[in-house]
Amino acid sequence: LIVAINKMDVAGANPDNVKQQLAQHGLVPEDWGGKTIYAEVSAKKRTGLENLLELVLLQADLMELKANPKLPAQGTVVEAKLDRGRGPVSTILVQQGTLKTGDPFVCGITHGRIRAMFNDRAEQLDSVGPGIAVELIGFSSVPEAGDKFIVTVSEKIARETAYKREMLKREEDLITRHHLSLDELSTKVASGEVKELPIIIKGDVQGSIEALTE
């Protein structure tokens, strides 16, 4: 983990205070005898950024972090939202392979085909390699942050995989959900624990619903 302490151009900036607070969460700086790398930067003045990049590259070399750009792309959802004009939109960090416009994919219990992707400057891209975060359009629904993003051979496989995952999730939810039996309900009513029983009435037309309600 590398920590960049920003706003070092502000008068009275105290990086030691930040280090002390983070050290309480186990992020002890190297110069304090720990293992966490710290870099002091200013995004506004653009100072310390070259040093930060050098530290990232050095750490990547030491840990031998490598990714194969020739594999089908894989990544992780950083954030996702439902955009009023564009539909489900998600930011993906590509961790393996090369991602291209038109690629079919599965992501958690959702799927789709990449219609468009944009970098952090809102510039449209045709392909991106490992280590790049991009905003994607083309999801069937909004994924969850942390979901694994995997490019598939075809859109059919992506759709079937997403459907199976959704069914498994529903089964797990049903297993963990506790249903109140009539015996338990009777006991709770007798003890005064339950005084009202909310009921949802569903029907195909208003007349039927009114009759059932009465």
Side-chain angles (χ1 to χ4, degrees), residues 38-204:
Y38 280 78
E40 299 174 12
V41 302
S42 168
K44 186 176 181 180
K45 300 290 185 180
R46 300 190 67 79
T47 57
L49 300 182
E50 287 187 7
N51 179 51
L52 173 61
L53 291 174
E54 287 176 3
L55 290 172
V56 171
L57 290 172
L58 177 61
Q59 191 69 2
D61 286 339
L62 290 173
M63 297 178 67
E64 297 184 351
L65 299 179
K66 297 178 182 179
N68 188 345
K70 297 181 180 180
L71 296 174
Q74 294 185 22
T76 302
V77 176
V78 179
E79 60 183 16
K81 63 182 179 181
L82 183 62
D83 188 277
R84 184 176 295 179
R86 300 183 296 171
V89 178
S90 176
T91 300
I92 302 293
L93 175 62
V94 181
Q95 296 168 298
Q96 193 82 263
T98 298
L99 188 61
K100 300 181 290 294
T101 301
D103 281 347
F105 63 85
V106 61
C107 184
I109 61 173
T110 185
H111 69 281
R113 181 182 290 274
I114 299 174
R115 299 205 313 268
M117 51 185 174
F118 305 87
N119 63 12
D120 57 320
R121 297 182 182 86
E123 298 168 340
Q124 190 163 351
L125 306 173
D126 292 324
S127 65
V128 291
I132 306 297
V134 286
E135 188 179 64
L136 302 183
I137 298 175
F139 288 80
S140 60
S141 59
V142 180
E144 297 286 336
D147 279 351
K148 293 298 179 184
F149 176 94
I150 302 172
V151 168
T152 57
V153 176
S154 67
E155 196 167 357
K156 179 183 178 183
I157 292 175
R159 185 169 54 251
E160 291 175 351
T161 303
Y163 176 75
K164 289 177 182 177
R165 289 180 177 180
E166 186 177 7
M167 291 299 102
L168 285 172
K169 188 176 184 299
R170 286 184 181 180
E171 289 177 7
E172 290 174 358
D173 291 343
L174 286 172
I175 291 171
T176 55
R177 191 182 301 159
H178 176 68
H179 293 279
L180 189 66
S181 68
L182 288 175
D183 289 337
E184 289 174 322
L185 179 63
S186 177
T187 303
K188 289 180 181 292
V189 170
S191 64
E193 189 176 341
V194 174
K195 295 181 180 179
E196 292 183 353
L197 178 62
I199 297 176
I200 297 174
I201 299 175
K202 291 185 178 182
D204 55 349

